[in-house]
């Protein structure tokens, strides 16, 4: 929404000899005194009294003949503090914390001793002050109206920089831009601040700090845009920092603010070491200038804690989070939204450390505080519920996870746009649990709802759509509905190729899934083509010795075995084993499984001595890495016993089968699990590990 400046039309002055300069000066002094008393009331927090005196001043101005009354009309409706609570999840964009956006926030007094003082400049100042009063009452729309009127009037009375009374067009533009920023109207705010920058550069030698402040504000806007323009923001921050250091020195409060902002750019780009360096410098300046318990000190502590958290430095992050929590409680109270946010962050650390009881306690406390501060229906409450649902999911408490996820979904539907991505995350989380429980129809219903939202909000060709489609295809695959699975996987493959190109790991993963379906449909040649293309991509992107390469090698070997090409099958199985040993280490569980599988193939071919070697190597690794009563050891002993049976080595067979039975019993398994002369020669690798809940 663009604004047009109100037109201020001077009324003609009738010189009948009754007006004198002294009378005019006396009236100006009266208006100035009323304004200055109102400013005093603002500074002492008496907002109602301030409004009353500003109105009296404006009435006197409107009684004069210099302006049309409608241009400077002020509504008779009293100003009251807004009860609106922001739904923004971000810790900034609120006045508690300084990004350098809080420029020109003080009301201005009027000194009528200046010879060039006139009614235009006085009127502009009072309108500007009314805007400042509305800002303190969180009445942004009303404030914007006053600032636009002040801007129009001030352009009659002075140049673009500063007037003698201290009001400037730059100051008014900053306030208009800040309101646009607080409302999320970033493009409008950029235009407003850009105009201020143009004006400031015109008087740079006289007011360099105005330019520095405007550069910083533009940097903040580019940082917060839905698609952050980090390079432009960094360029603006660095120019602002250079000016401020030259004028203010190295340890001014504004230097700390700009360093903090630059650190956030590095954090957003994943440059955590660089971010921490800047946060430490900013924190030192802020502690020195503001004291240890200032909220801006807390903001930088929060940023540093988040950076350590992302680096995996959990103890360092926890220490900083605890310091932030102490400051926030002392300055904001125990039931403030940022207390809730920090409790959630601390819970996440315990969650990641799998200290589930501690994490659950803090998540619940974060919920209590969040609800007290923000109400039952707020995005922050939904976010915490989602985290708590993830915790129950990881613990395997699916009933409680579904309950919490559904509670969070109810909140999200109440406060977010119906196509918001958070809703799709929660839908897929619940769908994942239904899938694990084998409740496939319920899972499909939720996944289909999620993909419909994604297509509406992101477009049908967005990569996120392919992720949900893959989950739908997997359910069809598990239900043995292979034709439907193939169709959905092919749609996901098309989206990923269009989004990423042919040589991307997501494309390789989908080709792998397509190959699995085609194998089940006994379309072996087509399955082989999919696997070979996936192998080419993974080798190109990951190198020849990666675990994911081994998985596709295993599948290719299995198709060769199914089609009777045993020699090719063994070549790929041995290459699978080689890659696994390099990528995972010689004693990894996957190495054991591949050894067992190769042993089974040799056993099927009648190469019993070779088969026995592979089984015994697998058993040796298991004895070194597993409990002696593990059922997996019993299964390998079972394989060895069957080889002895085929070789007619009765004594060895009885000895091994007896040990296998003992291990089965110790592991709590039935003796009927022992299979004599039974073969289960091959099966495709499991390429669909269960997904963790999406955070």
């Amino acid at each position: 929404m663009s604004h047009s400046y109100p037109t201020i039309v001077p009324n003609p002055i009738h010189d009948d000899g009754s007006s004198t300069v002294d009378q005019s000066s006396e009236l100006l002094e009266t208006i100035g005194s009323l304004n200055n008393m109102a400013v005093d009331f603002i500074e002492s927090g008496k907002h109602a009294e301030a409004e009353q005196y500003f109105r009296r001043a404006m009435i006197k101005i409107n009684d004069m003949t210099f302006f049309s009354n409608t241009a400077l009309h002020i509504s008779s409706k009293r100003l009251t503090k807004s009860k609106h609570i922001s739904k923004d999840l971000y810790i900034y964009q609120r006045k508690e914390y300084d990004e350098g956006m809080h420029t020109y926030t003080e009301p201005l007094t009027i000194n009528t001793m200046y010879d060039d003082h006139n009614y235009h400049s006085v009127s502009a100042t009072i309108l500007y002050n009314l805007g400042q009063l509305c800002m303190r009452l969180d009445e942004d729309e009303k404030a914007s109206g006053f600032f636009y009127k002040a801007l129009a009037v001030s352009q009659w009375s002075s140049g673009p920089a500063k007037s003698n009374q201290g009001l400037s067009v730059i100051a008014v533009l900053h306030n208009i831009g800040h309101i646009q920023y607080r409302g999320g109207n970033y493009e409008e705010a950029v235009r407003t601040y850009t105009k201020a920058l143009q004006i400031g550069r015109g008087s740079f030698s006289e007011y360099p700090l105005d330019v520095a402040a405007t550069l910083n504000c533009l940097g903040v806007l580019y940082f917060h845009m839905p698609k952050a323009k980090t390079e432009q923001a960094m360029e603006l921050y660095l120019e602002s920092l250079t000016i401020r250091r030259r004028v203010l020195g190295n340890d001014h409060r504004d230097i700390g603010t700009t360093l903090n902002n630059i650190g956030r750019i590095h954090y957003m780009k994943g440059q955590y070491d660089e971010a921490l360096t800047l946060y430490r410098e900013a924190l030192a300046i802020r502690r020195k200038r503001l004291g240890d318990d200032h909220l801006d000190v807390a903001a930088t502590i929060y940023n540093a804690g988040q950076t350590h958290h992302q680096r995996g430095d959990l103890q360092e992050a926890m220490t900083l989070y605890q310091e932030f929590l102490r400051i926030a409680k002392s300055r904001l109270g125990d039931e403030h939204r940022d207390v809730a946010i920090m409790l959630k962050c601390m819970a996440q650390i315990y969650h990641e450390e799998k200290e589930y009881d501690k994490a659950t306690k803090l998540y619940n406390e974060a919920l209590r505080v969040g609800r007290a501060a923000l109400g039952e229906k707020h995005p922050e409450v939904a976010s915490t519920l989602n985290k708590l649902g993830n915790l129950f999911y990881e613990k395997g408490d699916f009933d409680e996870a579904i309950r919490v996820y559904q509670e969070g979904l109810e909140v999200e539907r109440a406060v977010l746009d119906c196509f918001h991505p958070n809703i799709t995350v929660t839908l897929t989380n619940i769908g994942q649990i239904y899938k694990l429980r084998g409740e496939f129809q319920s899972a499909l219903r939720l996944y289909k709802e999620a993909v419909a939202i994604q297509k509406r909000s992101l477009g049908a060709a967005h990569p996120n759509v392919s992720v949900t489609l893959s989950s739908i295809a997997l359910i069809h695959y598990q239900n043995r509905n292979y034709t439907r699975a193939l169709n959905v996987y092919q749609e996901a493959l098309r989206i990923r190729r269009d989004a990423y190109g042919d040589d991307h790991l997501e494309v390789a993963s989908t080709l792998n899934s397509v190959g699995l379906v085609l194998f089940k449909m006994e379309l072996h040649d087509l399955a082989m083509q999919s696997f070979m293309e996936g192998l080419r991509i993974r080798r190109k992107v990951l190198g020849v010795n990666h675990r994911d390469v081994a998985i596709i090698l295993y599948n290719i070997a299995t198709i060769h075995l199914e089609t009777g090409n045993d020699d090719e099958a063994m070549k790929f199985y041995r290459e699978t084993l080689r890659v696994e040993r390099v990528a995972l280490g010689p004693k990894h569980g996957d190495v054991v499984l591949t050894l067992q599988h190769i042993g089974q193939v040799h056993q099927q071919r009648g190469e019993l001595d070779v088969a026995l070697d592979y089984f015994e190597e697998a058993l040796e690794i298991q004895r070194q890495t597993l409990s002696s009563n593990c059922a997996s050891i019993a299964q390998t002993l079972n394989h060895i016993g069957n080889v002895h049976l085929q070789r007619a080595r009765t004594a060895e067979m009885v000895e091994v089968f007896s040990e296998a039975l003992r291990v089965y019993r110790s592991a709590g398994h039935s003796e009927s699990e022992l299979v004599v002369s039974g073969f289960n020669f091959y099966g495709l690798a499991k390429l669909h590990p269960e997904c963790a809940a999406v955070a």
Side-chain angles (χ1 to χ4, degrees):
M1 176 180 175
S2 61
H3 291 270
S4 59
Y5 300 155
T7 303
I8 309 300
V9 183
N11 280 340
I13 300 174
H14 303 284
D15 186 5
D16 58 3
S18 62
S19 295
T20 67
V21 174
D22 289 341
Q23 289 175 326
S24 176
S25 298
E26 184 177 327
L27 184 55
L28 278 175
E29 286 183 16
T30 301
I31 294 170
S33 296
L34 289 168
N35 174 83
N36 296 346
M37 291 176 70
V39 169
D40 289 339
F41 282 128
I42 288 180
E43 291 173 349
S44 60
K46 297 178 180 179
H47 297 148
E49 291 86 345
E51 180 192 3
Q52 181 182 3
Y53 275 82
F54 282 138
R55 287 180 180 278
R56 287 173 60 185
M58 290 306 299
I59 288 170
K60 287 190 175 295
I61 291 175
N62 278 325
D63 285 342
M64 302 302 295
T65 58
F66 288 83
F67 302 106
S68 63
N69 291 338
T70 55
L72 295 178
H73 174 71
I74 301 174
S75 170
S76 60
K77 186 177 180 181
R78 307 296 296 179
L79 296 174
T80 57
K81 188 170 180 62
S82 172
K83 294 182 174 61
H84 172 71
I85 298 175
S86 170
K87 294 182 179 179
D88 190 352
L89 288 178
Y90 193 58
I91 199 166
Y92 286 98
Q93 269 177 290
R94 302 196 308 280
K95 60 187 178 184
E96 293 100 322
Y97 303 97
D98 180 24
E99 297 175 284
M101 299 295 286
H102 300 295
T103 55
Y104 309 103
T105 58
E106 297 303 319
L108 301 176
T109 57
I110 295 174
N111 186 345
T112 56
M113 298 302 294
Y114 288 105
D115 292 337
D116 65 347
H117 222 304
N118 57 62
Y119 287 103
H120 290 98
S121 64
V122 169
S123 299
T125 300
I126 296 172
L127 289 165
Y128 175 85
N129 287 344
L130 278 163
Q132 294 293 345
L133 175 60
C134 290
M135 291 284 280
R136 284 159 173 76
L137 296 172
D138 295 324
E139 291 283 1
D140 286 3
E141 185 176 351
K142 293 178 182 177
S144 181
F146 285 124
F147 286 132
Y148 272 108
K149 286 185 176 182
L151 182 64
V153 176
S154 66
Q155 290 172 331
W156 281 86
S157 63
S158 64
K162 293 192 181 284
S163 70
N164 288 333
Q165 292 70 43
L167 178 62
S168 69
V169 171
I170 291 176
V172 182
L173 288 170
H174 267 251
N175 280 279
I176 293 171
H178 192 201
I179 292 170
Q180 292 164 338
Y181 162 65
R182 291 196 341 176
N185 301 314
Y186 300 117
E187 296 293 345
E188 286 187 23
V190 165
R191 288 193 290 271
T192 300
Y193 279 109
T194 299
K195 183 174 181 180
L197 183 61
Q198 292 168 348
I199 294 170
R201 289 196 189 280
S203 56
F204 177 76
S205 60
E206 189 175 358
Y207 304 109
L209 292 178
D210 287 356
V211 173
T214 311
L215 288 165
N216 180 81
C217 291
L218 280 166
V220 171
L221 287 168
Y222 284 125
F223 175 82
H224 281 300
M225 282 184 169
K227 291 185 178 179
K229 298 181 179 181
T230 55
E231 297 304 321
Q232 293 96 317
M234 181 67 82
E235 183 179 340
L236 291 159
Y237 284 150
L238 291 174
E239 185 180 355
S240 175
L241 183 65
T242 299
I243 296 170
R244 284 176 163 170
R245 277 184 163 154
R246 185 173 68 245
V247 177
L248 302 172
N250 289 322
D251 62 352
H252 189 275
R253 172 178 181 166
D254 290 347
I255 301 295
T257 298
T258 310
L259 289 170
N260 186 69
N261 290 344
I262 296 171
R264 291 156 65 201
I265 295 286
H266 286 297
Y267 176 87
M268 179 178 282
K269 296 169 74 173
Q271 299 166 346
Y272 299 130
D273 290 344
E274 293 89 339
L276 278 175
T277 298
L278 287 155
Y279 288 146
R280 290 187 188 109
E281 188 177 353
L283 187 57
I285 293 171
R286 286 182 158 180
R287 286 191 193 277
K288 178 179 179 181
R289 293 297 179 187
L290 305 173
D292 289 337
D293 292 336
H294 195 280
L295 283 175
D296 290 339
V297 170
T300 306
I301 289 170
Y302 173 87
N303 290 341
Q306 288 270 285
T307 309
H308 279 296
H309 199 160
Q310 288 297 320
R311 279 166 40 116
D313 306 330
L314 300 185
Q315 290 309 308
E316 291 88 343
M318 181 63 85
T319 299
L320 290 164
Y321 286 161
Q322 288 169 338
E323 186 176 1
F324 177 93
L325 185 64
R326 178 189 63 78
I327 299 171
K329 282 186 172 183
S330 68
R331 299 299 300 273
L332 304 173
D334 290 343
E335 294 184 343
H336 189 274
R337 63 175 294 162
D338 293 341
V339 172
I341 290 171
M342 188 47 56
L343 288 167
K344 182 180 70 173
C345 290
M346 293 166 66
Q348 283 180 260
I349 290 181
Y350 286 129
H351 187 164
E352 291 167 28
E353 293 177 332
K354 301 192 183 303
E355 295 191 44
Y356 293 130
D357 290 343
K358 291 181 179 179
T360 302
K361 181 179 179 181
L362 283 175
Y363 279 138
N364 282 321
E365 178 65 7
L367 274 176
R368 185 194 66 77
V369 174
R371 285 166 170 157
L374 305 167
E376 293 286 334
K377 299 290 193 290
H378 191 278
E380 179 58 35
V381 172
S383 172
T384 306
L385 286 166
N386 190 60
K387 300 288 186 188
L388 185 58
N390 293 347
L391 183 147
F392 287 125
Y393 174 92
E394 292 172 29
K395 288 176 65 178
D397 188 348
F398 292 157
D399 289 341
E400 193 64 11
I402 285 182
R403 183 191 68 78
V404 174
Y405 281 144
Q406 288 176 333
E407 188 178 349
L409 183 62
E410 181 183 348
V411 176
E412 288 168 344
R413 291 191 192 278
V415 300
L416 300 177
D417 182 87
C418 60
F419 301 120
H420 195 281
N422 286 10
I423 293 176
T424 66
V425 169
T426 307
L427 288 168
T428 54
N429 284 349
I430 300 171
Q432 173 68 14
I433 295 176
Y434 282 130
K435 184 184 71 171
L436 291 176
R437 296 164 101 176
E439 299 176 36
F440 294 127
Q441 291 308 309
S442 295
L444 274 176
R445 175 178 55 79
L446 290 164
Y447 281 131
K448 287 178 179 178
E449 184 179 355
V451 85
I453 293 173
Q454 288 175 319
K455 286 180 176 180
R456 285 287 301 271
S457 60
L458 303 173
H462 195 278
N464 288 3
V465 174
S466 69
V467 175
T468 312
L469 287 172
S470 294
S471 296
I472 293 172
L474 177 56
I475 291 176
H476 290 313
Y477 176 84
Q478 291 172 325
N479 277 331
R480 301 182 181 181
N481 193 335
Y482 300 127
T483 300
R484 285 188 179 180
L486 181 61
N487 290 337
V488 179
Y489 273 134
Q490 286 178 328
E491 184 181 354
L493 180 61
R494 177 187 58 76
I495 292 171
R496 286 173 170 170
R497 277 185 161 147
D498 289 345
Y500 302 127
D502 289 337
D503 293 342
H504 192 277
L505 291 177
E506 293 294 336
V507 173
S509 175
T510 313
L511 285 166
N512 213 38
S513 299
V514 169
L516 277 171
V517 176
L518 292 168
F519 177 82
K520 291 292 187 180
M521 298 173 75
E522 298 186 357
L523 299 172
H524 296 136
D525 289 343
L526 293 174
M528 181 65 80
Q529 290 175 23
S530 289
F531 287 139
M532 292 300 293
E533 177 65 6
L535 178 64
R536 181 193 68 77
I537 296 169
R538 285 185 174 174
R539 278 177 165 168
K540 178 178 179 180
V541 178
L542 301 173
V544 297
N545 293 325
H546 193 277
R547 178 181 189 173
D548 291 347
V549 171
I551 290 172
I552 292 196
L553 287 167
Y554 183 97
N555 291 343
I556 292 169
T558 301
I559 290 184
H560 282 304
L561 191 65
E562 173 73 7
T563 56
N565 194 347
D566 291 4
D567 290 339
E568 276 298 295
M570 292 309 300
K571 182 178 78 173
F572 278 94
Y573 280 134
R574 284 191 288 268
E575 178 63 5
T576 300
L577 184 61
R578 184 197 69 76
V579 174
E580 286 175 341
R581 282 171 168 159
V582 173
L584 305 173
K587 297 181 180 180
H588 192 274
D590 286 2
V591 171
V592 171
L593 292 174
T594 305
L595 286 168
Q596 290 174 335
H597 194 81
I598 294 174
Q600 287 179 291
V601 175
H602 282 296
Q603 184 181 5
Q604 183 189 31
R605 291 169 56 152
E607 298 163 355
L608 301 180
D609 289 341
V610 179
L612 190 60
D613 288 341
Y614 279 102
F615 287 139
E616 287 179 342
E617 184 179 353
L619 181 63
E620 181 181 355
I621 296 172
Q622 287 177 313
R623 291 192 191 280
Q624 293 175 9
T625 58
L626 301 176
S627 163
S628 60
N629 295 327
C630 181
S632 297
I633 291 177
Q635 291 167 356
T636 307
L637 287 165
N638 197 156
H639 291 314
I640 293 171
N642 281 321
V643 173
H644 288 314
L645 175 61
Q646 287 180 271
R647 298 175 70 186
R649 293 182 176 177
T650 307
E652 290 92 334
M653 177 198 70
V654 171
E655 179 183 356
V656 174
F657 277 161
S658 297
E659 185 179 358
L661 285 171
R662 181 190 63 76
V663 175
Y664 273 131
R665 286 194 296 268
S666 299
H669 289 243
S670 170
E671 293 182 3
S672 63
E673 292 188 36
L674 185 73
V675 179
V676 179
S677 296
F679 301 109
N680 179 16
F681 293 128
Y682 54 84
L684 280 178
K686 181 180 179 184
L687 299 186
H688 300 284
E690 304 303 348
C691 300
V694 181

